[in-house]
Amino acid sequence: MHSRTSFFILSILYRFHILLAQNYDEWPLQKNQSFPTRSSPIEIFTNEANFIRTPTPLTFYVDYSENDELINTGSAVEVHTKHTSETHVTGGVLYDDTYIYSKCRFYWNNDIQGDTRLRINGDGKPLEVQLIFYNNKYNNFTDALGYPDGLLVTSILVDVGPNENLDFNEFGNHLDEIEKSNTKINITSSTVFKWFDIFSVIENYFAYPGDYGGCSCATSIVCIARYNRPYISERQFTKFQNLKNADGGILENLEEPHGRHGRPIVYSNTAQEIQIS
Ligand SMILES: *[C@@H]1O[C@H](CO)[C@@H](O)[C@H](O)[C@H]1NC(C)=O
Ligand SMILES: *[C@@H]1O[C@H](CO)[C@@H](O)[C@H](O)[C@H]1NC(C)=O
Ligand SMILES: *[C@@H]1O[C@H](CO)[C@@H](O)[C@H](O)[C@H]1NC(C)=O
């Protein structure tokens, strides 16, 4: 409780640095800029982030009508699109680049007092929703994996607390159906997206160069929903806690944050979601 309170105070009162003209080159990143390591996720300290004013807000165009697959892989829970998705994101720290939605992954800590992999000023959440997109200048996700500007990863941290999120229940029932490892079911994108905000107007986000599964190929965007942070109840969270891994044990995917290693972090504060279907 104490750490959450101090997090809010910190995030409201913290005076972010204005990005100075002489280090503006730090962002957008040169597409081929190399870093000694780009491992994600990291722990973000807001006093290390430079505020950036982008020409347009980061904008998510979301199609709620698509048919996807929800999968328990035995080591993760993922949603995969079956066809090229209409859901995409552009603007903000992406400038003119457009990234097409490809998959969604869930990371959680079965201890609801614990954190997932991402932390901000020492504070994490037990559940993280990660959306993975690929740059539309490449043919498909696999093709995009090979390029420094190939992928975009966005993370949304979800609170677990006393209140039920009614929009979660349909998704929660589907989690029951994939309790066993190596099972998958059909699911619509609305069932996946509707219980957390992808984004809505005036949110705050951090961005830094990250990676995906060890390849040096992702621009990572880390998101915090400050005013309408998504949440589910402890009862609803048991749907994740009941999932089984490949050995029939408890599925969980914990990882410690990686080092920042001199990578730039920027902070911006306008993002929005536009429903396209
Ligand atoms: C990145 O690309 C620019 C121009 O496209 C080139 O001048 C520069 O040498 C490249 N840097 C690296 C590290 O490859
Ligand atoms: C992805 O694009 C590449 C290059 O066009 C192509 O060779 C490959 O078959 C495509 N992969 C899939 C899964 O469509
Ligand atoms: C899932 O959808 C595919 C078509 O995309 C269909 O062939 C398959 O039978 C469906 N599976 C279930 C369990 O409904």
mmCIF file of all heavy atoms in Angstrom, residues 246-275:
data_model
loop_
_atom_site.group_PDB
_atom_site.id
_atom_site.type_symbol
_atom_site.label_atom_id
_atom_site.label_comp_id
_atom_site.label_asym_id
_atom_site.label_seq_id
_atom_site.Cartn_x
_atom_site.Cartn_y
_atom_site.Cartn_z
ATOM 1 N N ALA A 246 3.932 -27.164 -18.988
ATOM 2 C CA ALA A 246 4.073 -28.407 -19.755
ATOM 3 C C ALA A 246 4.217 -29.635 -18.856
ATOM 4 O O ALA A 246 3.848 -30.743 -19.250
ATOM 5 C CB ALA A 246 5.269 -28.290 -20.700
ATOM 6 N N ASP A 247 4.745 -29.463 -17.631
ATOM 7 C CA ASP A 247 4.898 -30.598 -16.718
ATOM 8 C C ASP A 247 3.685 -30.790 -15.821
ATOM 9 O O ASP A 247 3.726 -31.610 -14.899
ATOM 10 C CB ASP A 247 6.129 -30.386 -15.813
ATOM 11 C CG ASP A 247 7.394 -30.207 -16.631
ATOM 12 O OD1 ASP A 247 7.497 -30.872 -17.680
ATOM 13 O OD2 ASP A 247 8.255 -29.394 -16.240
ATOM 14 N N GLY A 248 2.635 -30.016 -16.037
ATOM 15 C CA GLY A 248 1.455 -30.106 -15.183
ATOM 16 C C GLY A 248 1.596 -29.285 -13.908
ATOM 17 O O GLY A 248 0.707 -29.265 -13.066
ATOM 18 N N GLY A 249 2.715 -28.585 -13.766
ATOM 19 C CA GLY A 249 2.932 -27.712 -12.607
ATOM 20 C C GLY A 249 2.306 -26.341 -12.855
ATOM 21 O O GLY A 249 1.584 -26.133 -13.831
ATOM 22 N N ILE A 250 2.637 -25.422 -11.965
ATOM 23 C CA ILE A 250 2.055 -24.088 -12.050
ATOM 24 C C ILE A 250 2.780 -23.252 -13.102
ATOM 25 O O ILE A 250 4.007 -23.184 -13.104
ATOM 26 C CB ILE A 250 2.111 -23.403 -10.670
ATOM 27 C CG1 ILE A 250 1.112 -24.096 -9.726
ATOM 28 C CG2 ILE A 250 1.834 -21.926 -10.749
ATOM 29 C CD1 ILE A 250 1.292 -23.713 -8.277
ATOM 30 N N LEU A 251 2.010 -22.644 -13.969
ATOM 31 C CA LEU A 251 2.601 -21.791 -15.000
ATOM 32 C C LEU A 251 2.847 -20.396 -14.436
ATOM 33 O O LEU A 251 1.988 -19.821 -13.781
ATOM 34 C CB LEU A 251 1.650 -21.720 -16.203
ATOM 35 C CG LEU A 251 2.044 -20.831 -17.381
ATOM 36 C CD1 LEU A 251 3.389 -21.263 -17.939
ATOM 37 C CD2 LEU A 251 0.996 -20.928 -18.471
ATOM 38 N N GLU A 252 4.008 -19.890 -14.689
ATOM 39 C CA GLU A 252 4.380 -18.567 -14.211
ATOM 40 C C GLU A 252 5.559 -18.145 -15.079
ATOM 41 O O GLU A 252 6.338 -18.995 -15.490
ATOM 42 C CB GLU A 252 4.814 -18.663 -12.746
ATOM 43 C CG GLU A 252 4.860 -17.363 -12.004
ATOM 44 C CD GLU A 252 5.152 -17.591 -10.504
ATOM 45 O OE1 GLU A 252 5.986 -18.452 -10.183
ATOM 46 O OE2 GLU A 252 4.546 -16.908 -9.692
ATOM 47 N N ASN A 253 5.684 -16.888 -15.370
ATOM 48 C CA ASN A 253 6.817 -16.487 -16.203
ATOM 49 C C ASN A 253 7.484 -15.246 -15.642
ATOM 50 O O ASN A 253 7.242 -14.136 -16.073
ATOM 51 C CB ASN A 253 6.391 -16.293 -17.664
ATOM 52 C CG ASN A 253 4.985 -15.761 -17.761
ATOM 53 O OD1 ASN A 253 4.576 -14.944 -16.933
ATOM 54 N ND2 ASN A 253 4.247 -16.207 -18.746
ATOM 55 N N LEU A 254 8.307 -15.477 -14.649
ATOM 56 C CA LEU A 254 8.983 -14.385 -13.974
ATOM 57 C C LEU A 254 10.363 -14.158 -14.561
ATOM 58 O O LEU A 254 11.003 -15.084 -15.044
ATOM 59 C CB LEU A 254 9.140 -14.717 -12.487
ATOM 60 C CG LEU A 254 7.837 -14.719 -11.704
ATOM 61 C CD1 LEU A 254 8.090 -15.177 -10.285
ATOM 62 C CD2 LEU A 254 7.219 -13.335 -11.723
ATOM 63 N N GLU A 255 10.795 -12.930 -14.475
ATOM 64 C CA GLU A 255 12.119 -12.580 -14.981
ATOM 65 C C GLU A 255 12.505 -11.301 -14.264
ATOM 66 O O GLU A 255 11.659 -10.436 -14.045
ATOM 67 C CB GLU A 255 12.006 -12.330 -16.489
ATOM 68 C CG GLU A 255 13.302 -12.317 -17.224
ATOM 69 C CD GLU A 255 13.099 -12.012 -18.710
ATOM 70 O OE1 GLU A 255 11.943 -12.061 -19.183
ATOM 71 O OE2 GLU A 255 14.082 -11.707 -19.375
ATOM 72 N N GLU A 256 13.752 -11.187 -13.902
ATOM 73 C CA GLU A 256 14.212 -9.949 -13.281
ATOM 74 C C GLU A 256 14.428 -8.892 -14.365
ATOM 75 O O GLU A 256 14.780 -9.234 -15.498
ATOM 76 C CB GLU A 256 15.526 -10.182 -12.534
ATOM 77 C CG GLU A 256 15.360 -10.883 -11.202
ATOM 78 C CD GLU A 256 14.505 -10.072 -10.228
ATOM 79 O OE1 GLU A 256 14.844 -8.904 -9.958
ATOM 80 O OE2 GLU A 256 13.483 -10.612 -9.737
ATOM 81 N N PRO A 257 14.225 -7.611 -14.034
ATOM 82 C CA PRO A 257 14.531 -6.572 -15.020
ATOM 83 C C PRO A 257 16.015 -6.628 -15.409
ATOM 84 O O PRO A 257 16.855 -7.005 -14.600
ATOM 85 C CB PRO A 257 14.238 -5.271 -14.269
ATOM 86 C CG PRO A 257 13.383 -5.641 -13.115
ATOM 87 C CD PRO A 257 13.710 -7.057 -12.778
ATOM 88 N N HIS A 258 16.310 -6.258 -16.637
ATOM 89 C CA HIS A 258 17.694 -6.230 -17.113
ATOM 90 C C HIS A 258 18.273 -4.833 -16.910
ATOM 91 O O HIS A 258 17.554 -3.888 -16.616
ATOM 92 C CB HIS A 258 17.735 -6.585 -18.605
ATOM 93 C CG HIS A 258 17.210 -7.959 -18.899
ATOM 94 N ND1 HIS A 258 17.928 -8.911 -19.557
ATOM 95 C CD2 HIS A 258 16.016 -8.535 -18.597
ATOM 96 C CE1 HIS A 258 17.218 -10.019 -19.665
ATOM 97 N NE2 HIS A 258 16.049 -9.817 -19.095
ATOM 98 N N GLY A 259 19.589 -4.712 -17.098
ATOM 99 C CA GLY A 259 20.232 -3.415 -16.924
ATOM 100 C C GLY A 259 19.889 -2.463 -18.067
ATOM 101 O O GLY A 259 19.563 -2.879 -19.173
ATOM 102 N N ARG A 260 19.981 -1.184 -17.777
ATOM 103 C CA ARG A 260 19.665 -0.183 -18.799
ATOM 104 C C ARG A 260 20.833 -0.010 -19.769
ATOM 105 O O ARG A 260 20.653 0.243 -20.959
ATOM 106 C CB ARG A 260 19.353 1.135 -18.096
ATOM 107 C CG ARG A 260 18.953 2.230 -19.042
ATOM 108 C CD ARG A 260 18.677 3.515 -18.271
ATOM 109 N NE ARG A 260 18.693 4.637 -19.189
ATOM 110 C CZ ARG A 260 19.077 5.851 -18.864
ATOM 111 N NH1 ARG A 260 19.483 6.109 -17.637
ATOM 112 N NH2 ARG A 260 19.077 6.810 -19.758
ATOM 113 N N HIS A 261 22.041 -0.119 -19.287
ATOM 114 C CA HIS A 261 23.253 -0.065 -20.108
ATOM 115 C C HIS A 261 23.286 1.139 -21.047
ATOM 116 O O HIS A 261 23.524 0.999 -22.244
ATOM 117 C CB HIS A 261 23.413 -1.361 -20.920
ATOM 118 C CG HIS A 261 23.517 -2.581 -20.059
ATOM 119 N ND1 HIS A 261 24.582 -2.813 -19.220
ATOM 120 C CD2 HIS A 261 22.671 -3.616 -19.883
ATOM 121 C CE1 HIS A 261 24.399 -3.939 -18.556
ATOM 122 N NE2 HIS A 261 23.250 -4.445 -18.934
ATOM 123 N N GLY A 262 23.020 2.299 -20.486
ATOM 124 C CA GLY A 262 23.188 3.541 -21.251
ATOM 125 C C GLY A 262 22.116 3.820 -22.287
ATOM 126 O O GLY A 262 22.217 4.797 -23.026
ATOM 127 N N ARG A 263 21.108 3.005 -22.344
ATOM 128 C CA ARG A 263 20.072 3.261 -23.358
ATOM 129 C C ARG A 263 19.215 4.457 -22.974
ATOM 130 O O ARG A 263 18.907 4.645 -21.791
ATOM 131 C CB ARG A 263 19.172 2.028 -23.508
ATOM 132 C CG ARG A 263 19.841 0.895 -24.229
ATOM 133 C CD ARG A 263 18.977 -0.323 -24.221
ATOM 134 N NE ARG A 263 18.949 -0.992 -22.920
ATOM 135 C CZ ARG A 263 18.195 -2.035 -22.644
ATOM 136 N NH1 ARG A 263 17.363 -2.497 -23.553
ATOM 137 N NH2 ARG A 263 18.238 -2.611 -21.460
ATOM 138 N N PRO A 264 18.805 5.249 -23.965
ATOM 139 C CA PRO A 264 17.933 6.383 -23.649
ATOM 140 C C PRO A 264 16.517 5.919 -23.300
ATOM 141 O O PRO A 264 16.035 4.918 -23.826
ATOM 142 C CB PRO A 264 17.924 7.184 -24.960
ATOM 143 C CG PRO A 264 18.234 6.194 -26.025
ATOM 144 C CD PRO A 264 19.120 5.157 -25.395
ATOM 145 N N ILE A 265 15.881 6.648 -22.402
ATOM 146 C CA ILE A 265 14.463 6.429 -22.103
ATOM 147 C C ILE A 265 13.764 7.761 -22.326
ATOM 148 O O ILE A 265 14.250 8.792 -21.852
ATOM 149 C CB ILE A 265 14.256 6.016 -20.623
ATOM 150 C CG1 ILE A 265 15.033 4.748 -20.306
ATOM 151 C CG2 ILE A 265 12.765 5.829 -20.309
ATOM 152 C CD1 ILE A 265 15.017 4.380 -18.823
ATOM 153 N N VAL A 266 12.690 7.756 -23.056
ATOM 154 C CA VAL A 266 11.934 8.999 -23.199
ATOM 155 C C VAL A 266 10.543 8.822 -22.611
ATOM 156 O O VAL A 266 10.019 7.716 -22.488
ATOM 157 C CB VAL A 266 11.844 9.500 -24.663
ATOM 158 C CG1 VAL A 266 13.215 9.832 -25.205
ATOM 159 C CG2 VAL A 266 11.116 8.513 -25.554
ATOM 160 N N TYR A 267 9.979 9.972 -22.228
ATOM 161 C CA TYR A 267 8.666 10.010 -21.618
ATOM 162 C C TYR A 267 7.792 10.904 -22.483
ATOM 163 O O TYR A 267 8.239 11.954 -22.950
ATOM 164 C CB TYR A 267 8.808 10.594 -20.213
ATOM 165 C CG TYR A 267 7.534 11.101 -19.605
ATOM 166 C CD1 TYR A 267 6.642 10.219 -19.005
ATOM 167 C CD2 TYR A 267 7.215 12.455 -19.612
ATOM 168 C CE1 TYR A 267 5.471 10.678 -18.445
ATOM 169 C CE2 TYR A 267 6.044 12.919 -19.047
ATOM 170 C CZ TYR A 267 5.174 12.029 -18.465
ATOM 171 O OH TYR A 267 4.019 12.479 -17.913
ATOM 172 N N SER A 268 6.576 10.515 -22.735
ATOM 173 C CA SER A 268 5.652 11.361 -23.487
ATOM 174 C C SER A 268 4.275 11.214 -22.858
ATOM 175 O O SER A 268 4.035 10.302 -22.078
ATOM 176 C CB SER A 268 5.648 10.955 -24.959
ATOM 177 O OG SER A 268 4.919 11.907 -25.702
ATOM 178 N N ASN A 269 3.370 12.110 -23.188
ATOM 179 C CA ASN A 269 2.111 12.055 -22.449
ATOM 180 C C ASN A 269 0.846 12.185 -23.275
ATOM 181 O O ASN A 269 -0.183 12.573 -22.758
ATOM 182 C CB ASN A 269 2.109 13.076 -21.317
ATOM 183 C CG ASN A 269 2.104 14.493 -21.840
ATOM 184 O OD1 ASN A 269 2.117 14.685 -23.054
ATOM 185 N ND2 ASN A 269 2.078 15.458 -20.972
ATOM 186 N N THR A 270 0.922 11.883 -24.536
ATOM 187 C CA THR A 270 -0.342 11.832 -25.269
ATOM 188 C C THR A 270 -0.417 10.559 -26.081
ATOM 189 O O THR A 270 0.433 10.262 -26.902
ATOM 190 C CB THR A 270 -0.523 13.019 -26.238
ATOM 191 O OG1 THR A 270 0.641 13.121 -27.020
ATOM 192 C CG2 THR A 270 -0.822 14.296 -25.498
ATOM 193 N N ALA A 271 -1.440 9.791 -25.814
ATOM 194 C CA ALA A 271 -1.694 8.582 -26.579
ATOM 195 C C ALA A 271 -3.197 8.418 -26.645
ATOM 196 O O ALA A 271 -3.916 8.884 -25.775
ATOM 197 C CB ALA A 271 -1.066 7.366 -25.910
ATOM 198 N N GLN A 272 -3.663 7.805 -27.696
ATOM 199 C CA GLN A 272 -5.104 7.633 -27.810
ATOM 200 C C GLN A 272 -5.438 6.366 -28.568
ATOM 201 O O GLN A 272 -4.597 5.797 -29.257
ATOM 202 C CB GLN A 272 -5.735 8.836 -28.519
ATOM 203 C CG GLN A 272 -5.227 9.027 -29.927
ATOM 204 C CD GLN A 272 -5.813 10.262 -30.584
ATOM 205 O OE1 GLN A 272 -6.855 10.745 -30.199
ATOM 206 N NE2 GLN A 272 -5.134 10.766 -31.589
ATOM 207 N N GLU A 273 -6.678 5.951 -28.381
ATOM 208 C CA GLU A 273 -7.164 4.759 -29.055
ATOM 209 C C GLU A 273 -8.341 5.158 -29.932
ATOM 210 O O GLU A 273 -9.201 5.910 -29.499
ATOM 211 C CB GLU A 273 -7.622 3.737 -28.009
ATOM 212 C CG GLU A 273 -8.220 2.495 -28.603
ATOM 213 C CD GLU A 273 -8.937 1.650 -27.549
ATOM 214 O OE1 GLU A 273 -8.414 1.508 -26.442
ATOM 215 O OE2 GLU A 273 -10.029 1.163 -27.866
ATOM 216 N N ILE A 274 -8.344 4.671 -31.160
ATOM 217 C CA ILE A 274 -9.465 4.921 -32.056
ATOM 218 C C ILE A 274 -10.013 3.573 -32.481
ATOM 219 O O ILE A 274 -9.266 2.729 -32.982
ATOM 220 C CB ILE A 274 -9.008 5.748 -33.281
ATOM 221 C CG1 ILE A 274 -8.556 7.143 -32.822
ATOM 222 C CG2 ILE A 274 -10.119 5.836 -34.328
ATOM 223 C CD1 ILE A 274 -7.955 7.998 -33.899
ATOM 224 N N GLN A 275 -11.309 3.372 -32.238
ATOM 225 C CA GLN A 275 -11.909 2.089 -32.597
ATOM 226 C C GLN A 275 -12.206 2.094 -34.089
ATOM 227 O O GLN A 275 -12.839 3.010 -34.597
ATOM 228 C CB GLN A 275 -13.195 1.906 -31.778
ATOM 229 C CG GLN A 275 -13.719 0.499 -31.823
ATOM 230 C CD GLN A 275 -14.746 0.248 -30.722
ATOM 231 O OE1 GLN A 275 -14.678 0.843 -29.651
ATOM 232 N NE2 GLN A 275 -15.685 -0.623 -30.995
#
